Every structure is written in C-alpha cells, then in structure tokens.
C-alpha cells in the first residue's frame, strides 16, 4: 500500500484502471437498454464489411475491434487511423458494397475523427455508427447512430477503462449479431476473473517496478492481440516517457531481437491459438538475457519457470474476450513506471486529453 501522501494514493488514473471490472459490468448492462445498440444490432446483419476508425488509443481500439469482428462474424473488417482516411481515402476502398463505418472517440471531439465521420457519411454516403463516452457529443451529430458509454468516461488524459469498455461493447455487438448466448455471460466471467486479481496484480507490478529499471520496453503479440501490444506500448510511453515498441511475436526474431539485454523489458501477450510458437520466442528471449513478463489465460509449468512476472486470467471465455483484460497489467506497468521515474500519470508530459485541429 503506497505511503500516505504518495501521488499513487490520490491518482485518478490508478483509480480508473482499478475500476474496470465494475465499469465493464455497468456498461454492459447499460448497453442492453441503449436504443442505438439495439438498432446497430438489427442493422449489423445487413452489412457486408466493417471499417473501424479512430486516433491514438482509439485507433488501436479500432484495430482490436476489427480483428474481433472478423473472428466472431467471419465478415471482413478493417481499421484505419482517421488521418489515413483523410489523406489517402482511395486506400480505404470506400466503394466496397455494404460497407459500414464505425468511428471511435472517447471525447467525441477529436478533429480527425469528426472529419472522418463526415467524409464517410456526407461524401461517400456510408452508414456510420459512432461510439464515445460523452453524452450529446459532436461525434453524435456526425454519425447516423451513436453509442455513448458515459458511465466509463475518465478524468484522466490517458485512456484506460474507456478503451476496454468501448472494445467490449463492440465485441458484444459482434457476438450478439451472430450467436445467441447459452445464458452464461462471457463479459461477467472476465469481470469476475479480473475483479479477483486486479488488486494483487497492482501490488505485484508496483513492487516489480520498484526493483527494476529498464531502458526500453518491447510488447509482443500475434493475431487479435497485436493491437493490444500496440496500446500497451503507447500506455508506457504516455505515462512514463519510456521508449516502447510493439512487434508481432514471431517477427521479433527477424532483426529487432538485437536489442535484447537485461535492461530490456519484454511483455508477451500469449494467445491460446498460438501459445506453443509464441512460448518458444519467449524462451529464446529469456536465454538472450531479457526480463520477461507474460500475460496469458493459462500458463504451462515451463512458462511459469521462465517468466520474471506472470499474469494469468484463468477465464473460460472465447479467446477474443481476453483482449480487454490482457491490457490491464500493462496499464498498471505504465502507471507505476511513470511514478517511479518522477512523472505524474494524471498529468502526462506534452499531452492533452483531446487533439483539436484548426
Ligand atoms: C484520441 C486520443 C487519445 C490519446 C489522447 C489524445 O482521443 O488520441 O487516444 O490518449 O487522449 O486523444 P479520442 O478521440 O478517443 O477522444
């Protein structure tokens, strides 16, 4: 427990990270009463392809949502940064038949996200669904439909629970549009699993950070977990001004592994589909002397022996449901690393909550 007066104790960023299990429950419950969610659900069946759009953390959310969508529905789904849509619209193939646009913005005010919504809707006459954490936002005015998860909005500059809650809302939209549940909610299962672990994880990470100093941070993942690696890298950069790089796990052998040393902190997001191949890379990097963190659903004995820090969720849910809880340990790593380096994650250096362009 942090000493009284420590910035940790009073941090709203940490409180928001720790509030995620309860906020997931609240936002999932609220969704069921959202007219826009029900309308999006009804319209989803008629869509042929999905284009998810966002900026910063909301772009990595778009990537995670697109991968989850394809795995859950079999439909084509892509993600682009709003800026790419604005500067290179031809690359987005907007004439694709039955294309649905989904614009993601916590604030609902990011200039590039709003301009992307208007481009899709007004210039290309595409249906647009917005998802945000603010009531009556500018994004709501720019989209045909808007899902507002106001209960998960944040005081913080960095996005944490807004990222995971909006991702789970989009996963719910994909899941609900293809299968009828068997009654047991996978959302409740991950909330319960995280709720019973998150305080212990926080303590483990705080003491791990106190004992180690790293020069660089590497995040490794495959498939739908790769956007989570990208978001994790952004978190530690935003909150602690550290250099962080995401790579596809097996790609890391093809050159980037040259950086590995004891002062390199490597975090592996281990999928269930790719665990054997991904674990081989983990063992190789351990042998190169790297410091190893692993985030997985269930660990093998050899994995337990090879990690310097291990996070297991142990939830019986479809694999795509693991994306949101897997990012939580890395949000905590970014936070405590920032505190250790003398920064205040509640007021990150050089950053603002929303990027508004003239
Ligand atoms: C997008 C964003 C955030 C980032 C920072 C600046 O915000 O890039 O991802 O952490 O807050 O804005 P939004 O469009 O989701 O409100």
């Amino acid at each position: 427990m942090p000493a009284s007066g420590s910035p940790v104790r009073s941090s709203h960023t940490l409180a928001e990270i720790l509030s995620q299990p309860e906020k997931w429950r609240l936002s999932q419950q609220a969704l069921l009463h959202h007219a826009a969610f029900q309308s999006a659900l009804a319209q989803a069946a008629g869509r042929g392809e999905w284009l998810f759009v966002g900026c910063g953390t909301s772009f990595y959310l778009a990537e995670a949502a697109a991968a989850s969508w394809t795995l859950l529905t079999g439909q084509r789904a892509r993600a682009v940064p709003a800026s790419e849509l604005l500067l290179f619209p031809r690359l987005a193939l907007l004439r694709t038949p039955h294309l649905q646009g989904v614009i993601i913005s916590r604030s609902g005010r990011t200039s590039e996200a709003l301009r992307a919504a208007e481009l899709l809707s007004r210039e290309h006459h595409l249906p647009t669904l917005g998802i945000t954490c603010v009531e009556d936002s500018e994004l709501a005015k720019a989209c045909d439909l808007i899902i507002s998860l106001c209960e998960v909005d944040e005081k913080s500059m960095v996005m944490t629970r807004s990222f995971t809650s909006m991702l789970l809302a989009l996963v719910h939209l994909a899941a609900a549009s293809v299968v009828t549940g068997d009654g047991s909610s996978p959302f409740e299962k991950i909330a319960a699993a995280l709720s019973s672990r998150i305080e212990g994880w926080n303590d483990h990470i705080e003491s791990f950070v106190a004992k180690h100093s790293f020069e660089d941070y590497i995040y490794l993942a495959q498939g739908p977990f790769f956007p989570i690696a990208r978001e994790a890298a952004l978190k530690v950069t935003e909150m602690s001004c550290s250099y962080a790089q995401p790579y596809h796990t097996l790609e890391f052998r093809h050159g980037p592994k040259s950086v590995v040393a004891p002062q390199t902190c490597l975090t592996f997001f281990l999928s269930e589909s790719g665990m054997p191949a991904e674990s081989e890379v983990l063992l190789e990097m351990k042998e190169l002397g790297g410091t190893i963190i692993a985030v997985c659903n269930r660990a093998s004995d050899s994995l337990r022996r090879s990690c310097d820090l291990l996070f297991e969720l142990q939830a019986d849910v479809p694999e795509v449901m693991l994306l949101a809880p897997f990012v939580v340990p890395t949000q905590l790593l970014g936070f405590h690393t920032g505190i250790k380096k003398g920064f205040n994650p509640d007021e990150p250096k050089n950053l603002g909550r929303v990027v508004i362009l003239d």
Side-chain angles (χ1 to χ4, degrees):
M1 194 61 184
S4 63
S6 148
V8 175
R9 184 189 287 265
S10 60
S11 165
H12 51 259
T13 303
L14 181 59
E16 288 161 355
I17 294 172
L18 297 175
S19 73
Q20 287 177 101
E22 194 41 42
K23 289 297 185 178
W24 294 351
R25 290 185 172 112
L26 274 175
S27 52
Q28 285 295 319
Q29 276 306 316
L31 272 183
L32 303 176
H33 308 294
H34 264 270
F37 182 76
Q38 299 305 330
S39 302
L41 211 49
Q43 294 168 18
R47 301 294 186 250
E49 183 167 333
W50 296 71
L51 180 65
F52 295 85
V53 184
C55 302
T57 285
S58 295
F59 167 51
Y60 302 140
L61 201 172
E63 288 190 317
S68 304
W69 197 278
T70 295
L71 290 174
L72 283 167
T73 70
Q75 289 181 322
R76 279 172 57 84
R78 298 175 275 140
V80 290
S83 54
E84 278 292 277
L85 209 52
L86 301 173
L87 298 181
F88 294 91
R90 289 176 54 214
L91 283 177
L93 303 173
L94 297 176
R95 292 202 179 93
T96 302
H98 312 301
L99 184 64
Q100 169 75 44
V102 181
I103 299 89
I104 303 165
S105 174
R106 169 185 66 176
S107 63
R109 294 176 53 225
T110 298
S111 300
E112 291 150 275
L114 295 175
R115 292 173 188 174
E118 282 152 16
L119 176 87
L120 294 177
S121 186
R122 292 173 181 43
E123 285 187 42
H124 293 271
H125 312 295
L126 294 176
T128 49
L129 167 67
I131 184 165
T132 185
C133 299
V134 173
E135 203 63 63
D136 300 330
S137 64
E138 291 168 65
L139 184 64
K141 301 184 186 85
C143 292
D144 304 325
L145 276 178
I146 191 79
I147 296 173
S148 303
L149 300 180
C150 306
E151 57 277 338
V152 303
D153 197 8
E154 292 144 335
K155 186 176 174 184
S156 301
M157 196 298 295
V158 295
M159 292 174 64
T160 55
R161 72 186 187 197
S162 58
F163 172 83
T164 55
S165 303
M166 288 195 282
L167 173 57
L168 289 172
L170 292 169
V171 168
H172 194 154
L173 184 60
S177 68
V178 287
V179 292
T180 52
D182 64 358
S184 64
S185 161
F187 301 99
E188 174 50 34
K189 284 183 179 177
I190 57 170
L194 184 65
S195 183
S196 64
R197 288 167 174 76
I198 194 166
E199 292 290 349
W201 285 2
N202 184 45
D203 294 343
H204 291 153
I205 289 168
E206 187 170 19
S207 56
F208 177 82
V209 167
K211 291 178 196 138
H212 296 81
S213 287
F214 298 109
E215 283 181 9
D216 48 14
Y217 296 78
I218 305 285
Y219 294 86
L220 301 170
Q222 299 276 168
F225 297 91
F226 182 61
I228 302 303
R230 296 183 80 173
E231 168 58 11
L234 179 60
K235 282 286 105 39
V236 77
T237 297
E238 285 180 329
M239 289 193 269
S240 73
C241 297
S242 301
Y243 287 99
Q245 284 289 339
Y247 294 96
H248 287 91
T249 309
L250 275 63
E251 275 295 294
F252 191 59
R253 286 192 183 107
H254 298 272
K257 72 175 182 180
S258 60
V259 302
V260 176
Q263 61 275 34
T264 308
C265 180
L266 295 113
T267 297
F268 288 78
F269 296 98
L270 296 170
S271 67
E272 293 174 320
S273 311
M275 173 80 85
E278 295 161 8
S279 299
E280 283 176 19
V281 179
L282 185 150
L283 294 175
E284 287 170 33
M285 297 314 129
K286 183 69 181 169
E287 284 160 23
L288 288 180
T291 300
I292 306 294
I293 298 177
V295 184
C296 65
N297 199 26
R298 286 186 175 80
S300 62
D301 290 343
S302 74
L303 188 60
R304 293 180 202 287
R305 289 192 298 273
S306 310
C307 295
D308 298 280
L309 196 57
L310 173 66
F311 300 100
E312 280 185 281
L313 193 69
Q314 297 176 328
D316 293 323
V317 294
E319 192 162 33
V320 290
M321 295 299 299
L322 299 173
L323 272 59
F326 273 23
V327 77
V328 175
T330 62
Q331 294 169 343
L332 292 167
L333 181 67
F335 175 83
H336 288 294
T337 302
I339 295 288
K340 176 172 181 178
K341 291 176 71 174
F343 293 102
N344 176 2
D346 287 356
E347 294 165 12
K349 183 167 154 262
N350 297 341
L351 300 180
R353 200 166 183 281
V354 187
V355 176
I356 305 290
L357 306 176
D358 297 332

